[in-house]
Amino acid sequence: IAQLQPDKAQPILQQQLPVLTQRIELILGKLKSPQAQDDAAMLPLTTWWEGLRQRYQHAELIWAEPHHIFSLPGGGDYAIPAAMFDCVADNLIDNACHKRLREPGIDITVKLSLIPFTLAISDSGSPIPRGVAQQLLNTVMPSEDGLGVGLYQAGRWAEQMGFSLTLAKNTERGVEFELKKG
């Protein structure tokens, strides 16, 4: 984009710079003290979930969680790799919010399930075009709203941590991505 359409590149780079800076800082921190970072990166699921809800409290999202997640002893305190979960959730939520700008009125749902353990982020908007959907998590894709590397990077990181990120639904009634263990 920077070479072919410099006028479009500047706003995209300005929008993505804080996210890229945060990811670079995270990687540099891991390189400096990998063991300390690995230990610090695991958070109880309930702590992470509440942090995510607070971060997006003004985004008009629908939050769906098991009603018993906070009441079962240890049930919601499953330790998760928080930085990877943040990366996946932030990418998916940000993409859905940008889609909402193009398609006003769509619902965005963030759903947590314990059995099977799944984080699903969906929107009620139009489907992803078939050609794009087939390549989306397998390669860097051109993007209307960013650099096109976010979902690819998030998917690779999820795999490295023993999770899978998939496009679980892509229909006229909406799009849903799932992050699952295994």
Side-chain angles (χ1 to χ4, degrees):
I1 292 174
Q3 292 175 348
L4 301 176
Q5 299 171 334
D7 55 320
K8 287 187 177 181
Q10 187 66 24
I12 291 171
L13 290 174
Q14 285 179 339
Q15 177 185 9
Q16 292 295 315
L17 193 56
V19 175
L20 292 172
T21 302
Q22 181 182 18
R23 290 182 185 159
I24 290 169
E25 288 173 354
L26 179 66
I27 291 168
L28 288 174
K30 282 188 152 211
L31 290 173
K32 289 179 182 176
S33 58
Q35 184 59 39
Q37 286 292 325
D38 287 344
D39 292 343
M42 299 301 282
L43 278 181
L45 178 60
T46 53
T47 302
W48 175 82
W49 181 250
E50 282 305 309
L52 182 69
R53 288 181 62 131
Q54 287 177 6
R55 221 167 41 244
Y56 288 99
Q57 64 184 327
H58 301 293
E60 296 182 35
L61 304 178
I62 299 167
W63 298 93
E65 64 195 39
H67 295 292
H68 60 280
I69 189 171
F70 299 108
S71 61
L72 289 177
D77 285 337
Y78 175 72
I80 60 161
M84 184 272 292
F85 268 63
D86 280 342
C87 177
V88 169
D90 289 345
N91 269 285
L92 294 173
I93 292 170
D94 289 346
N95 288 348
C97 288
H98 282 104
K99 184 177 185 178
R100 185 189 278 158
L101 294 175
R102 294 187 304 275
E103 299 177 30
I106 66 171
D107 291 327
I108 301 170
T109 302
V110 182
K111 181 180 180 184
L112 182 63
S113 301
L114 296 179
I115 302 173
F117 181 71
T118 307
L119 174 67
I121 298 171
S122 61
D123 69 65
S124 62
S126 63
I128 299 169
R130 175 175 272 178
V132 173
Q134 291 173 339
Q135 296 296 318
L136 191 59
L137 296 167
N138 300 317
T139 187
V140 174
M141 296 292 299
S143 169
E144 294 178 29
D145 303 313
L147 298 176
V149 298
L151 285 180
Y152 175 72
Q153 176 189 18
R156 298 294 71 76
W157 195 0
E159 283 179 14
Q160 291 172 357
M161 301 298 287
F163 290 80
S164 63
L165 178 61
T166 60
L167 177 58
K169 175 183 163 190
N170 190 33
T171 67
E172 290 298 325
R173 292 184 302 263
V175 173
E176 180 173 274
F177 287 89
E178 289 182 341
L179 178 65
K180 289 185 177 181
K181 182 72 175 157

